[in-house]
Amino acid sequence: MKENLVLIGNGMAGMRTIEELLKLAPEKYSITVFGEEPYGNYNRIMLSPVLANEKTIDEIMLNDEQWYADNGIRLEKGKKVVEINRARREVIAEDGTVAPYDRLIIATGSHSFMLPLPGADKYGVIGFRDIADVDLMIEAAQQYKKAVVIGGGLLGLEAANGLMKQGMDVTVVHLLDTLMERQLDKPAAKMLQQSLEERGMKFLMDHATEEILGDDRVTGLRFTNGDEIEADLVVMAVGIKPNIELAQKSGLHCERGIVVNDTMQTFDPRIWAVGECVQHRGVTYGLVAPLFEQAKVAANHLAEFGIARYEGTVTSTKLKVTGIELFSAGDFHGDDTTEDLLFHDVAGGIYKKLVIRDNRIIGAVLYGDTIDGTWYFQLMRDGTDISDFRSTVLFGQAHLGDAGHGDETRVASMPDDAEICGCNGVCKGDIVKAITEKKLFTLEEVRAHTKASASCGSCTGLVESLLAHTLGGDYSEAPSKKPLCGCTDHSHDEVREAIRKHGLKSQEEIRDMLEWKTPDGCAACRTALNYYLLCEYPGYDDPESRFINERAHGNIQKDGSYSVVPRMFGGLCTPQELRAIADVAEKYDVKEMKVTGGQRIDMFGVKKEDLPAMWKDLSEAGFVSGHAYGKAMRTCKTCVGKTWCRMGTQDSTRLGVRLEELTWGSWMPHKFKLAVSGCPRNCAEATIKDFGVVCVDSGYEIHIGGNGGIKVRVTDFLTKVETEEEVLEWCGAFCQLYREDAHYLERTAPWVERVGLQKIKDILEDEKQRKALHERFLISQKPAQIDPWKAYAEGERKDHHFEPIKLKVS
Amino acid sequence: MSDWLEITTLDQIPVLGSRVVETDTMNIAIFRGRDDTVYAVKDACPHQNGPLSQGIMHGHSVTCPLHNWKIDLTTGEALGPDEGCTNVFETKVENGTVFLRIPA
Ligand code: SRM
Ligand SMILES: Cc1cc2nc3c(=O)[nH]c(=O)nc-3n(C[C@H](O)[C@H](O)[C@H](O)COP(=O)(O)OP(=O)(O)OC[C@H]3O[C@@H](n4cnc5c(N)ncnc54)[C@H](O)[C@@H]3O)c2cc1C
Ligand code: SF4
Ligand code: FES
């Protein structure tokens, strides 16, 4: 017998909970949904574009009635629940319908707060909350001319804009002298008011309404200062009030909202509550992003996974008035302990303000140019130290280097056939179509359905902007805590911490302890856990949890063959070595040879079963694997240096060889490249490497966190030292810090940006810590610097089968 | 229906790993699950013929090594939003020996 789950409130939070639950435990419950409104559920935040004639009701439906039928959910639409009998565990609707529950979710949302003014009950005075309100406004616009909106907040301005688009003459009445005071500071609010006035909106600032005039229908308003204004329609948008009457009546503990704990449970353990009707840690929310996080947590507990916690959400807002760009988040007023970074271009209509405390963003207001809103918001939630790019942060992320996307980030103006994802050839039109037709909300969903941003990821920013732009609303979807993959709700950091704290020694132990949702994990988490374990316990390895390149020690090619890249330390080689490579290439019928971008030779098209023998020959000629396939130390590029070059200041080639000898074989969170240039002309391109050395007359400059490839990032200067020995020590220590701290598949460039250069400097400049890190690196290198090929050739390793099983089928 | 063919012994397939069986007409990928169930599918991903045998196995599915499609080894169907299917073959394990049946 399935248990009965009942949901009261067919809105955004409640239904998101059901959708999340169906993903986790589709068969667990028999589900009944009560909704006061007579439809399936719809995207409430899109009511503003509907009112502004930019969308239709059909376009904003999230799940139609067929969806409920298809998922075996009983939908009691148009039925208001009036009683919860907790003793008998049943809910009763206005029309007498009774539904028993084993578990109950309350998601009744909120209603528009109506000012208790004389005359507020007249016909033509409404709130802005649901489809019925929008229908009423559209109807009024067809017969009448004058509309007044009370409240110059987000909702009020969206209502006013919509009514204006419906052809009405609209005045916004606001109690204070600046608009949207909860989201904007004064300069931004002024700019907003000005551009709305240019569009024809009228404002009565600093006006308090005293009475609503008229007989049956409203005819006007009177203010406390005695002024009067005509009105055929009054929309009150002064705030929302959580719908808690039902919960209160049934004896659940409520304050401003229904009080819930971090698992979204109410005081009755059989009853959960999510959405605008709840109060969590003293806070009530009025935006969807937090509600979606709550929904995830509630679903996790309803599915009896029992691990997720809701810890509150930092929210951000955008105004959905087409043509007006506005973004705000966090504490944008600041106080004595904060500083402001300001950019104000009056003529260009652009205003940006970031509020900073201890070099961390704590609030932002953007007007006119909001493209970097998501980025600032991310920096704010991650608590990133911005000291290193403080002077340019206001110019945006593109300014940090965006591999040629730069201005393209203005997705709005791109044509439909503009290619967004170069790897998979996905155009803007395809993505927008998928978002609207398949009702996609998250980056993950867009990746799954269109493949955009699913490969190299360089277009992730563009896809996110497209999502934001297409959905129009405030879908700030990056959850504050990113799970490692779909198999778990835990983040990379939490997993690593658990390994260290509980001494977890195997993937099974990790998955048990942290209650993984899948028995064996998936390709994403298996590879990550394998790395975390081998970093913690040098010598640990589970070949089946490695990508095939690392299992077979070669790069898999599109036709299933492999490529072979022997290591050439520092790019040096001897005639004998070249001859050995040539012999091997002939013997094993190599299809093509090429000098790689990493200063060594690649042999393509090798059959898998030939790999061991070929490597045996190479190994006998003195070569080890180049790890050109691995999330590992790759190459150390060098230039000629002082031995030959007329400009050389130090022996860069020798230093490169020594660095490569130190680091080869090391498994890393991602690929890791080094270079040494003999002078600041920098022929070895050391300033776009993960670890780069530029020799100068007086010693060696060490640079870190560079990246060629997808998104070019120039290194940060780390330190300057005087001897090769010191370079080696700093290098080992840096490698180990990166290995122990970065997330799997995070290269040094994004890692440095996430944790901040200062933190890395602080640790490495401390001699004790530096030496300890270097020591741990050397220990980790002992089991790692074993050539896998030699081990196979000598029979020490047998964990991978290169030979197929041959079968004769007659 | 053809006969059961003896392929190999169970210990020759790593747990959550795979082997390739070469026949005259095609390659077949065989996988061994955590519970020692053996699955067999044509070693060609419905996407672009990627060698599924070289992927990462989990539960009763495998992630293709070329572009990460996930294939259900019991049905041969691509999972999630991807669409496509590869052939599935019957297998059995008796006393540690793995058998495969290929329709004639
Ligand atoms: C062979 C080589 C190209 C060449 O013919 O020169 C190469 C080949 C591949 N690169 Fe590369 N990269 C090669 C040098 C580079 C360089 C240049 C360098 O190292 O100086 C770069 C830019 C520098 C950098 O990494 O910062 C480079 C940036 C990339 C990237 C983007 C990495 C990034 O963080 O932005 C990828 C994709 C990835 O790693 O996810 C990539 C991925 C690949 C893969 C492994 C694609 C894949 O995932 O299968 C290619 C394998 C081809 C094959 O089938 O064998 N390759 N790749 C070069 C091998 C160097 C070596 O000797 O090991
Ligand atoms: C015009 C407008 C624009 C908005 N724009 C944004 C925006 O840009 N960004 C943003 O983040 N948020 C925006 N919001 C806020 C967002 O829509 C809400 O935060 C969100 O819808 C709340 O979800 P909920 O499930 O808690 O409540 P709701 O979506 O309101 O759902 C509650 C449902 O419960 C039903 N119900 C209530 N009581 C009962 C009962 N006793 N029995 C049966 N059913 C009942 C109601 O009829 C309703 O359908 C906007 C809201 C409006 C109105
Ligand atoms: S070698 Fe590098 S740049 Fe060339 S196609 Fe492959 S991944 Fe792309
Ligand atoms: S060939 Fe398998 S995913 Fe592309």
Side-chain angles (χ1 to χ4, degrees):
Chain A
M1 246 315 254
K2 286 189 190 176
E3 286 187 291
N4 287 317
L5 174 68
V6 173
L7 165 66
I8 308 175
N10 195 21
M12 299 194 73
M15 285 315 295
R16 188 39 99 93
T17 311
I18 299 292
E19 286 176 24
E20 296 282 352
L21 178 64
L22 290 177
K23 278 195 245 163
L24 297 177
E27 299 299 329
K28 192 165 169 55
Y29 294 102
S30 108
I31 302 175
T32 306
V33 174
F34 283 88
E36 193 178 349
E37 294 182 75
Y39 338 88
N41 62 307
Y42 59 91
N43 187 347
R44 191 173 306 283
I45 79 173
M46 293 314 247
L47 286 177
S48 303
V50 169
L51 182 62
N53 279 331
E54 288 164 4
K55 292 252 170 201
T56 64
I57 294 288
D58 280 348
E59 283 173 328
I60 70 166
M61 289 310 292
L62 292 173
N63 296 314
D64 55 16
E65 289 172 37
Q66 190 57 45
W67 181 90
Y68 288 84
D70 293 347
N71 284 280
I73 297 173
R74 194 171 117 207
L75 173 62
E76 299 285 1
K77 61 175 176 157
K79 293 189 186 176
K80 177 174 182 173
V81 172
V82 289
E83 189 187 335
I84 303 170
N85 186 326
R86 288 165 55 205
R88 300 170 55 133
R89 297 217 301 268
E90 51 189 36
V91 302
I92 300 142
E94 214 163 24
D95 70 341
T97 313
V98 175
Y101 67 82
D102 296 295
R103 293 177 191 232
L104 176 67
I105 311 171
I106 304 180
T108 44
S110 50
H111 57 262
S112 310
F113 177 65
M114 303 301 276
L115 293 170
L117 297 171
D121 53 353
K122 289 195 198 310
Y123 195 68
V125 181
I126 56 169
F128 184 17
R129 182 72 197 173
D130 52 26
I131 293 184
D133 293 332
V134 172
D135 285 345
L136 246 162
M137 288 193 237
I138 295 179
E139 199 187 293
Q142 280 158 3
Q143 300 177 39
Y144 301 99
K145 194 83 195 95
K146 287 189 180 307
V148 170
V149 175
I150 305 183
L154 193 82
L155 210 57
L157 294 179
E158 289 186 5
N161 176 62
L163 289 168
M164 224 161 61
K165 292 274 171 66
Q166 294 288 347
M168 293 190 90
D169 171 9
V170 186
T171 305
V172 175
V173 175
H174 197 49
L175 198 58
L176 305 176
D177 67 346
T178 59
L179 294 174
M180 288 181 64
E181 69 283 353
R182 283 173 50 202
Q183 286 91 16
L184 296 182
D185 64 350
K186 285 199 175 175
K190 270 267 141 352
M191 294 174 82
L192 172 64
Q193 184 175 342
Q194 207 171 5
S195 37
L196 289 171
E197 275 166 356
E198 278 162 19
R199 290 157 180 250
M201 205 180 282
K202 295 176 192 152
F203 291 91
L204 285 176
M205 305 302 282
D206 225 343
H207 273 63
T209 312
E210 188 176 66
E211 189 182 345
I212 295 176
L213 310 172
D215 297 325
D216 281 344
R217 186 171 184 106
V218 53
T219 56
L221 298 183
R222 183 166 52 240
F223 302 104
T224 45
N225 64 3
D227 287 359
E228 284 185 18
I229 179 175
E230 279 178 52
D232 309 309
L233 176 73
V234 173
V235 179
M236 287 211 200
V238 291
I240 53 172
K241 232 178 143 225
N243 279 329
I244 56 171
E245 296 76 17
L246 179 64
Q248 243 166 352
K249 219 172 66 182
S250 53
L252 289 174
H253 178 59
C254 298
E255 288 169 10
R256 270 180 307 132
I258 306 169
V259 176
V260 293
N261 63 15
D262 286 1
T263 66
M264 303 314 292
Q265 232 168 0
T266 66
F267 278 55
D268 178 337
R270 287 187 179 270
I271 306 182
W272 274 257
V274 290
E276 286 186 346
C277 61
V278 311
Q279 175 179 333
H280 169 262
R281 298 191 184 181
V283 181
T284 58
Y285 291 97
L287 294 169
V288 292
L291 312 187
F292 285 177
E293 283 190 41
Q294 295 175 353
K296 248 199 155 91
V297 172
N300 185 288
H301 288 277
L302 287 164
E304 294 185 331
F305 284 122
I307 39 175
R309 291 183 146 263
Y310 180 66
E311 296 170 350
T313 310
V314 195
T315 56
S316 68
T317 23
K318 279 184 186 165
L319 182 71
K320 300 191 298 297
V321 171
T322 305
I324 293 188
E325 299 279 321
L326 185 159
F327 173 93
S328 95
D331 172 5
F332 50 84
H333 285 303
D335 54 37
D336 306 348
T337 66
T338 63
E339 307 158 82
D340 292 347
L341 298 182
L342 265 184
F343 177 91
H344 195 167
D345 174 355
V346 180
I350 294 175
Y351 174 80
K352 301 182 186 186
K353 170 167 151 185
L354 297 178
V355 181
I356 315 282
R357 181 182 291 133
D358 298 333
N359 278 318
R360 285 173 175 79
I361 299 177
I362 61 160
V365 181
L366 308 179
Y367 185 86
D369 177 4
T370 55
I371 202 89
D372 285 300
T374 351
W375 182 51
Y376 296 139
F377 193 43
Q378 192 66 40
L379 292 172
M380 179 171 129
R381 281 186 304 193
D382 290 350
T384 306
D385 185 330
I386 62 160
S387 2
D388 308 312
F389 49 101
R390 193 180 147 124
S391 56
T392 55
V393 66
L394 280 172
F395 300 123
Q397 190 172 24
H399 205 79
L400 284 183
D402 200 7
H405 286 308
D407 275 341
E408 267 182 80
T409 23
R410 275 141 225 285
V411 285
S413 57
M414 289 164 82
D416 273 355
D417 59 0
E419 189 175 79
I420 301 278
C421 172
C423 292
N424 296 302
V426 192
C427 298
K428 174 180 166 186
D430 305 333
I431 300 176
V432 172
K433 196 160 150 232
I435 295 174
T436 42
E437 283 181 3
K438 305 222 163 83
K439 313 230 158 55
L440 311 182
F441 277 121
T442 66
L443 181 63
E444 288 305 315
E445 286 168 349
V446 175
R447 281 188 180 145
H449 283 271
T450 67
K451 300 290 173 239
S453 146
S455 296
C456 80
S458 71
C459 60
T460 303
L462 286 178
V463 175
E464 280 180 337
S465 311
L466 262 184
L467 255 173
H469 180 71
T470 311
L471 294 172
D474 175 20
Y475 279 90
S476 149
E477 257 303 323
S480 44
K481 187 178 102 181
K482 281 205 186 105
L484 195 150
C485 70
C487 303
T488 176
D489 286 328
H490 293 282
S491 64
H492 284 268
D493 289 329
E494 287 170 337
V495 170
R496 290 200 99 166
E497 200 190 303
I499 296 175
R500 287 171 190 156
K501 203 162 124 200
H502 304 289
L504 305 177
K505 294 241 159 33
S506 68
Q507 297 204 24
E508 286 72 28
E509 279 179 37
I510 300 173
R511 286 193 290 260
D512 272 0
M513 174 100 197
L514 299 179
E515 302 186 299
W516 237 245
K517 299 173 199 165
T518 48
D520 310 325
C522 68
C525 62
R526 285 256 300 280
T527 44
L529 295 189
N530 186 56
Y531 170 74
Y532 291 150
L533 284 165
L534 72 82
C535 177
E536 207 57 29
Y537 312 109
Y540 170 94
D541 203 2
D542 170 26
E544 302 313 326
S545 295
R546 282 185 181 269
F547 185 58
I548 183 63
N549 282 359
E550 295 182 2
R551 240 183 294 153
H553 315 287
N555 266 313
I556 193 164
Q557 316 273 292
K558 56 196 284 192
D559 65 354
S561 68
Y562 287 80
S563 69
V564 168
V565 186
R567 197 170 281 284
M568 288 184 174
F569 287 81
L572 290 176
C573 67
T574 62
Q576 292 90 315
E577 284 168 346
L578 274 184
R579 216 170 276 129
I581 289 181
D583 289 344
V584 163
E586 274 180 356
K587 181 164 163 197
Y588 296 97
D589 192 22
V590 161
K591 301 281 180 278
E592 186 167 67
M593 287 173 80
K594 172 176 187 308
V595 175
T596 74
Q599 295 186 337
R600 46 208 193 158
I601 292 171
D602 200 344
M603 291 174 268
F604 297 103
V606 179
K607 285 207 282 303
K608 187 175 183 191
E609 57 257 48
D610 284 343
L611 286 172
M614 181 166 170
W615 272 106
K616 183 165 181 287
D617 291 357
L618 286 167
S619 171
E620 276 163 11
F623 287 104
V624 297
S625 166
H627 295 84
Y629 44 76
K631 304 300 170 218
M633 186 277 169
R634 292 282 176 95
T635 59
C636 184
K637 224 162 158 160
T638 63
C639 72
V640 258
K642 116 174 148 180
T643 326
W644 303 98
C645 178
R646 67 198 165 97
M647 304 295 179
T649 62
Q650 309 282 354
D651 192 344
S652 51
T653 326
R654 182 184 64 199
L655 177 57
V657 171
R658 290 186 73 189
L659 282 169
E660 188 158 357
E661 281 169 354
L662 170 73
T663 53
W664 78 271
S666 177
W667 297 111
M668 303 277 207
H670 205 306
K671 54 171 77 161
F672 189 97
K673 300 175 177 178
L674 302 88
V676 187
S677 287
C679 83
R681 285 165 199 76
N682 194 12
C683 297
E685 298 162 346
T687 47
I688 52 161
K689 293 290 178 271
D690 298 273
F691 185 91
V693 181
V694 177
C695 302
V696 289
D697 206 40
S698 55
Y700 306 84
E701 283 179 355
I702 298 178
H703 301 260
I704 55 147
N707 204 164
I710 294 163
K711 181 168 165 185
V712 181
R713 181 180 194 273
V714 172
T715 43
D716 292 304
F717 173 73
L718 180 65
T719 191
K720 192 184 147 194
V721 297
E722 279 167 20
T723 65
E724 285 191 5
E725 261 52 47
E726 288 170 283
V727 177
L728 292 169
E729 181 181 295
W730 279 79
C731 178
F734 176 74
C735 286
Q736 188 64 9
L737 184 58
Y738 169 58
R739 298 180 76 235
E740 290 177 6
D741 192 77
H743 299 165
Y744 188 63
L745 294 191
E746 181 178 45
R747 257 188 104 168
T748 57
W751 171 64
V752 170
E753 279 177 15
R754 181 169 62 83
V755 304
L757 175 65
Q758 199 53 46
K759 175 176 154 185
I760 295 169
K761 266 191 172 159
D762 288 347
I763 295 174
L764 294 179
E765 278 168 3
D766 173 0
E767 194 181 335
K768 231 173 95 191
Q769 293 199 59
R770 184 174 70 241
K771 286 203 170 354
L773 280 163
H774 183 60
E775 197 50 40
R776 289 207 290 284
F777 183 68
L778 294 180
I779 291 169
S780 80
Q781 281 297 70
K782 276 194 194 124
Q785 283 193 337
I786 285 172
D787 186 28
W789 295 103
K790 213 161 159 208
Y792 278 114
E794 290 168 1
E796 283 166 26
R797 265 186 92 160
K798 307 191 179 62
D799 51 42
H800 193 72
H801 297 275
F802 292 87
E803 290 282 327
I805 299 165
K806 302 231 188 232
L807 195 71
K808 283 262 172 265
V809 182
S810 40
Chain B
M1 186 55 75
S2 68
D3 287 334
W4 287 105
L5 299 165
E6 186 178 330
I7 301 299
T8 183
T9 52
L10 194 59
D11 58 4
Q12 289 298 302
I13 317 172
V15 177
L16 293 179
S18 69
R19 294 294 303 272
V20 183
V21 179
E22 250 180 40
T23 74
D24 291 347
T25 49
M26 67 179 133
N27 283 358
I28 294 174
I30 54 176
F31 296 86
R32 173 176 174 188
R34 177 176 299 286
D35 59 0
D36 288 346
T37 312
V38 172
Y39 306 89
V41 299
K42 185 171 163 191
D43 195 12
C45 174
H47 178 219
Q48 288 178 9
N49 289 327
L52 296 172
S53 55
Q54 313 295 295
I56 290 182
M57 189 204 180
H58 36 84
H60 49 77
S61 45
V62 62
T63 299
C64 177
L66 295 197
H67 317 95
N68 291 331
W69 280 32
K70 287 195 189 58
I71 312 297
D72 185 328
L73 296 170
T74 60
T75 62
E77 300 271 358
L79 294 170
D82 297 318
E83 278 169 32
C85 188
T86 190
N87 305 21
V88 183
F89 302 96
E90 274 182 272
T91 58
K92 66 174 181 185
V93 183
E94 273 172 13
N95 299 325
T97 305
V98 180
F99 296 87
L100 176 68
R101 186 140 73 175
I102 305 171

